[in-house]
């Protein structure tokens, strides 16, 4: 199980301020504030948002930089808020189980592949002869949703049977990102057919982000190593260990935690009184944890069973029930 080691100093959302989740979050917020101070000139969007025509003119950095800009006109912060909310919520859960550098690679890969599909979209439309009511070659795309869609895919790969809420619907995590992407394309078709105007989101970017994470995640997770330690820590092998140590796979590591939590739940079930259960759970409490909201604690949920913080949630529920 990946263990988070905290640096001395500030933390945010249960992670060091220098953790990639917080670094990406802070970078997006800072860039958005700069966009607002630019006063609607669009100078940042011109150089750093992704426009296929400008990319092919030499603005190659746009394939990545677009993921840090958000809609700054109309209602500021709304676009940024929803992207970062999903990013922090699912990213925070994912990083309990995999190292920060693996999470970062999948996120960056999703942003880049999202940009690639945005650039391929006008070519695809032209080759197929689709009459689309927008010049995609000169359309600007911005936002972190390509990378965020990739994070949803990664969550679905790690916890395929966990149920999540997508807008107003409950579904398995493995299907959620693809339903989200498919729903966007359906909304686009309906909008074009009935209103002669495309939908407001970049479906090609979302699709690319999902594809990028699907391709990158198995490669990143193939060794199943969950040794996290410090951010971007180089892999070292102590001298006193065998030259070819056995590394548990990701599935074995998660199954081990599940077995451990089931044994704890069985022990709690055999205990009748509050004091007995409290005595069992208190020594197992961990500090600096980022727990899910109380109503989401379901001991038989696959995600909860795989979580190293289940004893913390169990004690919290025990105290709440006692009150």
């Amino acid at each position: 199980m990946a263990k988070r080691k905290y640096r001395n100093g500030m933390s945010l959302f249960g992670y060091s301020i220098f953790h990639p989740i917080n670094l990406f979050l802070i970078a997006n917020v800072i860039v958005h504030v700069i966009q607002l101070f630019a006063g609607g000139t669009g100078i940042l969007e011109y150089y750093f948002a992704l426009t296929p025509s400008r990319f092919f003119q030499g603005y190659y950095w746009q394939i990545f930089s677009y993921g840090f800009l958000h809609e700054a006109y109309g209602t500021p912060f709304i676009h940024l808020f929803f992207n970062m909310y999903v990013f922090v919520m699912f990213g925070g859960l994912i990083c309990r189980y995999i190292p920060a550098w693996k999470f970062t690679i999948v996120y960056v890969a999703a942003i880049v592949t999202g940009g690639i599909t945005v650039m391929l979209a006008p070519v695809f439309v032209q080759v197929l002869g689709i009459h689309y009511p927008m010049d995609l070659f000169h359309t600007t795309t911005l936002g972190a949703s390509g990378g965020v869609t990739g994070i949803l895919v990664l969550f679905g790969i790690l916890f395929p049977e966990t149920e999540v809420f997508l807008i107003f619907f409950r579904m398995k995590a493995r299907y959620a990102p693809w339903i989200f992407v498919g729903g966007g394309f359906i909304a686009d078709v309906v909008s074009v057919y009935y209103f002669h105007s495309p939908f407001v989101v970049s479906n090609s970017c979302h699709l690319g982000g999902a594809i990028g994470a699907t391709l990158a995640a198995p490669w990143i997770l193939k060794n199943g190593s969950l040794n996290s330690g410090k951010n971007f820590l180089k892999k070292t092998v102590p001298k006193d260990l065998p030259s070819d140590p056995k590394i548990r796979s990701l599935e074995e590591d998660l199954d081990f935690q599940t077995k451990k939590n089931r044994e704890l739940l069985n022990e709690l079930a055999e205990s009748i009184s509050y004091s007995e259960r409290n005595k069992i759970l208190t020594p197992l409490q961990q500090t600096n944890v980022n727990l899910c909201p109380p109503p989401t604690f379901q001991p038989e949920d696959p995600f909860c069973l795989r979580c190293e913080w289940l004893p913390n949630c169990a004690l919290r529920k025990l105290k709440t029930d006692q009150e």
Side-chain angles (χ1 to χ4, degrees), residues 85 89 93 96 290-298 313 316:
Y85 175 76
M89 180 172 63
L93 296 175
R96 296 182 185 180
N290 185 23
L291 301 182
C292 301
T296 63
F297 176 59
Q298 300 292 337
C313 291
R316 179 180 62 183

Side-chain angles (χ1 to χ4, degrees), residues 8 40 54 81 112 118 124 141 146 159 198 202 221 261 263 273 276 299 303 305 313 315:
N8 293 328
R54 285 197 283 272
F81 171 77
V112 173
V118 167
F124 180 79
T141 298
F159 311 103
S202 177
L221 302 174
N261 285 336
E263 291 174 352
S273 66
E276 290 178 347
F303 180 79
L305 283 174
C313 291
L315 182 59

Side-chain angles (χ1 to χ4, degrees), residues 4-44:
R4 292 182 294 175
K5 295 184 179 179
Y6 295 86
R7 300 171 184 264
N8 293 328
M10 294 186 296
S11 64
L12 186 64
F13 301 114
Y15 290 92
S16 163
I17 200 71
F18 298 104
H19 190 281
I21 287 179
N22 289 322
L23 292 179
F24 280 121
L25 172 64
I26 293 170
N28 275 272
V29 172
I30 290 176
V31 170
H32 192 67
V33 171
I34 295 175
Q35 286 181 266
L36 295 177
F37 276 107
T41 60
I43 188 68
L44 287 177

Side-chain angles (χ1 to χ4, degrees), residues 264-285 314-315 318-319 322:
L264 173 62
L265 292 173
N266 290 335
E267 186 178 359
L268 292 174
E270 295 173 357
S271 303
I272 301 176
S273 66
Y274 169 83
S275 59
E276 290 178 347
R277 295 181 178 181
N278 186 68
K279 186 176 180 180
I280 294 172
L281 292 171
T282 299
L284 302 177
Q285 299 303 292
L315 182 59
L318 179 66
K319 292 181 177 180
Q322 181 69 13

Side-chain angles (χ1 to χ4, degrees), residues 32-211:
H32 192 67
V33 171
I34 295 175
Q35 286 181 266
L36 295 177
F37 276 107
T41 60
I43 188 68
L44 287 177
E45 289 80 355
Y46 181 87
Y47 285 104
F48 297 104
L50 179 58
T51 305
S53 60
R54 285 197 283 272
F55 175 86
F56 291 114
Q57 291 174 1
Y59 293 58
Y60 302 124
W61 58 85
Q62 291 185 352
I63 199 171
F64 177 68
S65 62
Y66 81 95
F68 292 87
L69 281 77
H70 290 82
E71 180 60 48
Y73 315 109
T75 308
F77 289 106
I78 294 298
H79 186 203
L80 173 71
F81 171 77
F82 281 109
N83 275 340
M84 292 298 100
Y85 175 76
V86 177
F87 173 75
V88 171
M89 180 172 63
F90 285 94
L93 296 175
I94 289 170
C95 285
R96 296 182 185 180
Y97 299 95
I98 68 173
W101 68 269
K102 292 189 176 185
F103 171 83
T104 302
I105 288 179
V106 174
Y107 180 67
V108 171
I111 290 178
V112 173
T113 52
I116 292 174
T117 52
V118 167
M119 292 188 299
L120 292 178
V123 178
F124 180 79
V125 169
Q126 185 175 5
V127 169
L128 294 183
I130 299 175
H131 299 287
Y132 195 72
M134 178 181 286
D135 183 3
L136 296 178
F137 195 65
H138 294 90
T139 298
T140 298
T141 298
L142 72 171
S145 54
V148 170
T149 306
I151 295 305
L152 292 176
V153 170
L154 179 58
F155 185 85
I157 291 174
L158 289 172
F159 311 103
E161 299 303 315
T162 298
E163 291 189 337
V164 298
F165 281 99
L166 184 63
I167 308 178
F168 301 108
F169 302 97
R170 192 169 184 170
M171 64 194 69
K172 300 291 185 182
R174 69 169 71 194
Y175 305 125
W178 302 105
I179 292 175
F180 169 69
V181 172
F185 277 104
I186 292 174
D188 200 33
V189 171
V190 172
S191 181
V192 170
Y193 184 81
Y194 287 101
F195 305 105
H196 308 289
S197 176
F199 199 48
V200 294
V201 300
S202 177
N203 295 306
S204 58
C205 182
H206 296 164
L207 176 62
I211 293 174

Side-chain angles (χ1 to χ4, degrees), residues 215-287:
L215 296 176
W219 175 70
I220 287 296
L221 302 174
K222 64 180 179 180
N223 292 327
S225 177
L226 296 178
N227 302 316
S228 58
K230 295 182 180 179
N231 298 340
F232 306 101
L233 183 67
K234 293 183 179 180
K235 185 176 180 180
T236 58
V237 179
K239 295 181 179 179
D240 57 340
L241 290 181
S243 58
D244 187 20
K246 184 180 184 301
I247 300 176
R248 288 188 305 197
S249 68
L250 173 64
E251 196 63 30
E252 288 173 336
D253 215 339
L254 294 177
D255 287 344
F256 174 78
Q257 186 66 41
T258 299
K259 180 181 178 181
K260 184 177 178 181
N261 285 336
R262 285 194 182 279
E263 291 174 352
L264 173 62
L265 292 173
N266 290 335
E267 186 178 359
L268 292 174
E270 295 173 357
S271 303
I272 301 176
S273 66
Y274 169 83
S275 59
E276 290 178 347
R277 295 181 178 181
N278 186 68
K279 186 176 180 180
I280 294 172
L281 292 171
T282 299
L284 302 177
Q285 299 303 292
Q286 299 187 48
T287 58

